[in-house]
Amino acid sequence: MDAPVKFEKPSAQPAPQSPEGCLAVAIRVPVRIVVLVLVVPVRVVWDALAVGGRFLWRTVLRPVGRALFVWPVVALWRYVVVPGAKAVGWLVSVLVLVPLGWLYQYALTPLGHALAWTARGIGSGLAWVYARVLTPVGHACVWVVDRVTSAVEWLGRYLLVVPSGWLYAWVIAPVGRAIAWCGRGLLWLAKAVGTGVGVVLYWMARILLVLPAIALWRWVLTPVGRVLAVVGREVWDALGHAWRIAGHLSLAVGRALATLFRWIFVAPVSWVYRTVLTPVGHVVRDLVLRPAAEAARSVGRVTRQVLTAARESARQARADFRRTVFGEPRQPQPVERREPMGDETRTLGRSTTVLTKD
């Protein structure tokens, strides 16, 4: 039995590249070298300005902008505009809308009803006048106008239309046909003359203008344009290539400067903080600050106790002075309760109360 045949998917063919001429190859290398030399300082300065701008934006411009513009606007909106708008809305509602509602309800609505009733009465009178007076008069006027129109039509037909038709058929039409025949002849002659002149002008313009322009475009401008296009494309590619290389160089220089800054400044400061300042701080905290804090707390406790004893002594002295001068305060007298005590109280088993008991 034959083995199954495997069908492999054909690999994707690379896109064909347009062949490059010797002019592009000869221009590419020197142009890229010159552009790289010119672009590297510009890219380094650009990256430095970008880093400085971002740092300045994060640390200075954005906080200052918020403090100068955003926060005042928010505060103005929250504490001035919104309360002012609410107050204006309340004033408009109280001073305008409510009076207008009352005016509409208690003045305009009754007045409108009265005007509507008056208008209905006037309309009924006008309808009676239209039906009983104007309609007969209108019918009479229509009858008179109809008769007058018929008479005018008869007079116009026999005094204007018939003579005009005769004049058109026997005078104007023959004269018009003759003029039209002469016009067609003149138009044919003008067309023939114009065609000849146009042909002559066409060939003159073609020989004197078009053919030289075609030759100039084909043999001068097109080659020069192709050369300039190649040069421009190579310069553009060189600028992009140099910009990318300058970006890598700028990144490397920035990382090197950051590493040097870390070695020269950050690492010594961190080492001094960890190995010198932190132990010294711990020693100062344990030997100076904590004992001073304990002593201050002890002094505070003693001071509070002394002040408490002094307040108690002053209070006792004031009480003794009041008893000496004014005597002992009067004791409250006991008040008899409403319910009798002991056996005098009412119980559930008795039918009498203390008030009715003999």
Side-chain angles (χ1 to χ4, degrees):
M1 184 175 182
D2 297 335
V5 180
K6 296 181 179 180
F7 295 95
E8 296 181 357
K9 186 178 180 180
S11 59
Q13 297 293 333
Q17 298 180 355
S18 59
E20 298 179 349
C22 59
L23 180 62
V25 176
I27 292 174
R28 180 176 301 163
V29 176
V31 167
R32 289 194 175 185
I33 293 174
V34 173
V35 170
L36 180 63
V37 172
L38 295 176
V39 168
V40 167
V42 177
R43 181 59 187 266
V44 172
V45 173
W46 174 264
D47 290 339
L49 291 176
V51 173
R54 286 194 297 269
F55 176 76
L56 184 63
W57 169 257
R58 287 195 303 267
T59 58
V60 178
L61 295 180
R62 184 166 61 186
V64 171
R66 288 181 178 177
L68 293 179
F69 298 102
V70 177
W71 294 341
V73 170
V74 172
L76 179 65
W77 173 263
R78 183 176 298 172
Y79 299 109
V80 178
V81 175
V82 173
K86 290 181 179 179
V88 170
W90 182 80
L91 290 175
V92 169
S93 177
V94 172
L95 299 178
V96 178
L97 297 180
V98 174
L100 287 178
W102 291 347
L103 179 64
Y104 174 78
Q105 185 175 0
Y106 297 107
L108 296 180
T109 300
L111 181 61
H113 291 323
L115 292 177
W117 181 81
T118 305
R120 283 196 297 270
I122 295 173
S124 300
L126 292 177
W128 183 85
V129 171
Y130 175 79
R132 303 299 179 183
V133 178
L134 296 179
T135 300
V137 173
H139 289 171
C141 293
V142 168
W143 183 84
V144 172
V145 170
D146 190 13
R147 295 297 180 270
V148 173
T149 303
S150 299
V152 171
E153 183 180 358
W154 184 84
L155 292 174
R157 179 178 179 83
Y158 288 100
L159 294 178
L160 293 176
V161 176
V162 174
S164 298
W166 181 84
L167 179 63
Y168 175 80
W170 298 102
V171 178
I172 296 176
V175 173
R177 292 190 187 97
I179 292 173
W181 184 81
C182 294
R184 285 196 296 271
L186 293 175
L187 181 61
W188 179 85
L189 180 62
K191 187 183 296 184
V193 173
T195 303
V197 173
V199 170
V200 173
L201 293 176
Y202 169 76
W203 282 104
M204 290 179 63
R206 183 177 177 83
I207 293 171
L208 296 178
L209 297 176
V210 177
L211 295 179
I214 292 174
L216 179 64
W217 174 263
R218 182 176 298 173
W219 302 108
V220 177
L221 296 179
T222 300
V224 172
R226 290 176 180 174
V227 172
L228 292 178
V230 172
V231 173
R233 186 176 65 251
E234 293 301 327
V235 170
W236 182 258
D237 295 339
L239 283 173
H241 187 69
W243 187 260
R244 289 190 296 271
I245 294 175
H248 292 295
L249 293 177
S250 175
L251 182 61
V253 170
R255 289 178 177 176
L257 292 176
T259 303
L260 289 176
F261 179 76
R262 187 170 61 252
W263 290 350
I264 294 173
F265 183 76
V266 177
V269 170
S270 177
W271 180 83
V272 168
Y273 177 77
R274 288 195 310 270
T275 59
V276 177
L277 296 180
T278 300
V280 169
H282 291 171
V283 170
V284 170
R285 182 190 62 190
D286 296 335
L287 299 180
V288 177
L289 297 180
R290 285 182 178 175
E294 292 293 336
R297 283 194 291 269
S298 301
V299 170
R301 285 194 296 270
V302 171
T303 304
R304 285 194 297 273
Q305 293 174 0
V306 170
L307 292 176
T308 301
R311 284 195 296 270
E312 291 294 334
S313 300
R315 188 180 298 110
Q316 187 66 32
R318 287 196 300 271
D320 294 339
F321 178 76
R322 283 195 299 271
R323 282 194 299 270
T324 304
V325 175
F326 301 104
E328 292 291 337
R330 182 181 297 176
Q331 298 297 327
Q333 298 294 330
V335 179
E336 295 182 358
R337 297 184 179 182
R338 186 173 181 181
E339 292 290 338
M341 300 297 292
D343 296 336
E344 301 295 329
T345 57
R346 183 182 62 181
T347 60
L348 295 176
R350 298 181 181 179
S351 59
T352 58
T353 62
V354 175
L355 298 177
T356 60
K357 186 177 180 181
D358 294 337

